[in-house]
Amino acid sequence: MRLDLLLIRRHPSMSRRKARDVIEKGQVSVDGRTVREPGGEVAESAAVAFDPNRRALPRARCTLAVLHEDEHVIVVDNPAGMLTVPSAPGVHDEDTALRRVQDYAHRLKPRGGYAERVHRLDRDTSGALAFALSREARAGLIETFRHHRIERAYLAIVEGEPAGESGQVDAPLREAWVSGRRGVAKPGEEQQPARTHWRVRERLPGAALLEVRLETGRQHQIRVHLAHVGLPILGDPVYGRPVHGRPLARRPMLHAFRLAFAHPVTGERIAAESPPPEDFQRALAALRRRPPG
């Protein structure tokens, strides 16, 4: 359940506002770890301790919605259109997810704030994105991602009708980019192995909502693989179908809804989920209203 609600259960005289306040001040620990996200999910059996005498930590809020946070790791809800990192080395004036998390980390710890990226999302993909808040955590998370010991699940609205209820695309991607595109490698081309699993969540007129899970994590992998099997992502200007008339979506309808992995320091399981954003929900609603055939 939510941490603030569990704290109130343990301290019935505490108001909801007071619970949120003391959690954000860093005066509450869960199983010995300081947790500062009132809405964070915790087990009802967790050891939750409130110490009013603990020195309050600086009050700061991240400008991105926080899905999980502890002293080593933060998972944020990254909006579509925001770069994960600067577009080129040495560029410092772009609004990126990394910059926002770094600003937040420095407000939390003015003398020792640290935040670095460990993976990325394509600019037009929304959803769960993790950053390390300590050097120790970054080293562990990089290893976790490198060896694919992570659960990454996406929602994708695709054009076309899947032949079955689930499937796998096992097709290496070429190393080279051609006119800003990746593609499935041809014999003799330099390539990277890539595997994508999908299953149908909902069938729609001329389209479908898929749940997609990555076994490998190559840039543009989902977009290339789904287009390769005749199920291009709705709104994808690079790998999708030509649009005639008013578009249902103005960016690829791909959303990273779940990110789960072992904590790089404690080993505890972290699972963060991001609800689909408004544009994704609007596209789904429009497809549900579309007449069949």
Side-chain angles (χ1 to χ4, degrees), residues 180-196:
R181 297 168 59 99
R182 296 201 81 174
V184 170
K186 297 177 181 177
E189 289 185 318
E190 289 189 46
Q191 57 189 253
Q192 296 175 314
R195 285 177 296 280
T196 303

Side-chain angles (χ1 to χ4, degrees), residues 154-201:
Y154 294 74
L155 295 176
I157 303 175
V158 298
E159 299 185 85
E161 299 180 2
E165 293 305 305
S166 63
Q168 173 183 303
V169 186
D170 189 349
L173 302 186
R174 67 170 179 242
E175 289 272 13
W177 291 74
V178 178
S179 301
R181 297 168 59 99
R182 296 201 81 174
V184 170
K186 297 177 181 177
E189 289 185 318
E190 289 189 46
Q191 57 189 253
Q192 296 175 314
R195 285 177 296 280
T196 303
H197 303 268
W198 58 267
R199 71 176 182 88
V200 176
R201 274 203 170 193

